[in-house]
Amino acid sequence: MQKEAAFMEQIRENKGIILKLVGLYANDEEERKDLYQEILFQAWKGYSGFRGDSKFSTWLYRISLNTILTSQRKAKRVDYRESVEDVHITDEQEAAKNENTRLLRQAIRSLPETERALITLHLDGYSNPEIADIIGITVNNATVKLHRIKNQLINQLQPQLS
Amino acid sequence: MKDLKQIWKDESNGADMLDQILKSKSFKKAGENSPLLKLKRNLAIHLGYAVIITLAYALIIYYFPYWQVQACMLLLIIFNLWAMQKAYHLYKNINPNPAEHNVLEELKNHHSSFSEWQKQSLRVALFVYPFALSGGFMLGGTVGSGKSVEEFMSKGSVLIALIIAIIVLVPLSYLLAKWMTRVAFGKYIDQLKERIDELENEP
């Protein structure tokens, strides 16, 4: 029971990781729900093996990415848009913020699946060696790829961001 | 880029659904959808069927004292045991634990397991079907005609029919097995390969 409480606490603290990653890969509501369930299931199953050698967030990132990138998802690319209940617009500033995150999400979704993983890790503050370790590529490869992806995103988003 | 990091911090789309799942703890009861686990379950079912089929071959050997049929069944048992050993080896090596590997390792792990399963299915189609077909043909013919295998097979037309059946049905079965494995996991294997190539490709 204590283990479960600790797990739930850690997941709540880091749920942003799951939200962001699933939002970038799920093609519809059903797929989104399936991926949430699967990631949480895998995390819960592997939790007893979590020794704390790395941060919980890094461990959860690894599980989430591995689960998503090896899942059998629909091949069709539907531009998933959030349901009305998910969006809570309170004022103009908030609306602009929501619009910016939506634009960024859409721009990242237009990238190949593996590049989405790289840029998300970068945007969440991971260093290039950390990203290389999580993904399993060389630091040089990660650095070059990220440089190209960042340029692409900036070029794509600069005219649109408010 | 600092701006993008700031914008990314605000992303919280889909929070309501995730909160609901966490609150209900439904994920603990949810069946595991990992493709690797599905493959493992699939292999376990195949192994179960293989055991039953092998026992059936043994019964045929016991109850039908025609050496030609017995030879075919014996070869089938040998191939079955070999295929079962390969399948069991694959089953034991499948380790669906995404916490243990980095992304590239996990992708390769999935890809090699599914590719191996595909190869095994095709090998079985190629090596087992000709003997199963010959054995079945002779057995059916002798039981149906009430003659011995020698008598039944002594007719030139019967021998030609068997050769035609092997020439037509074995490649057809092989192609069918190939098509079925493609339908089941072909697209998925291609996707995994594409992701592996994307990551390994040094720009």
Side-chain angles (χ1 to χ4, degrees), chain A residues 134-151:
Chain A
I134 292 169
I135 301 291
I137 56 178
T138 63
V139 179
N140 185 48
N141 193 358
T143 308
V144 176
K145 278 187 160 81
L146 276 167
H147 181 72
R148 187 171 42 78
I149 301 166
K150 279 188 279 184
N151 281 343

Side-chain angles (χ1 to χ4, degrees), chain B residues 140-178:
Chain B
T142 50
V143 170
S145 65
K147 295 174 182 169
S148 70
V149 175
E150 285 87 356
E151 282 171 337
F152 174 66
M153 294 300 292
S154 62
K155 272 189 179 175
S157 58
V158 173
L159 201 65
I160 290 169
L162 174 62
I163 292 167
I164 290 173
I166 290 174
I167 290 172
V168 174
L169 291 178
V170 170
L172 209 66
S173 307
Y174 177 80
L175 289 174
L176 185 71
K178 199 172 179 177

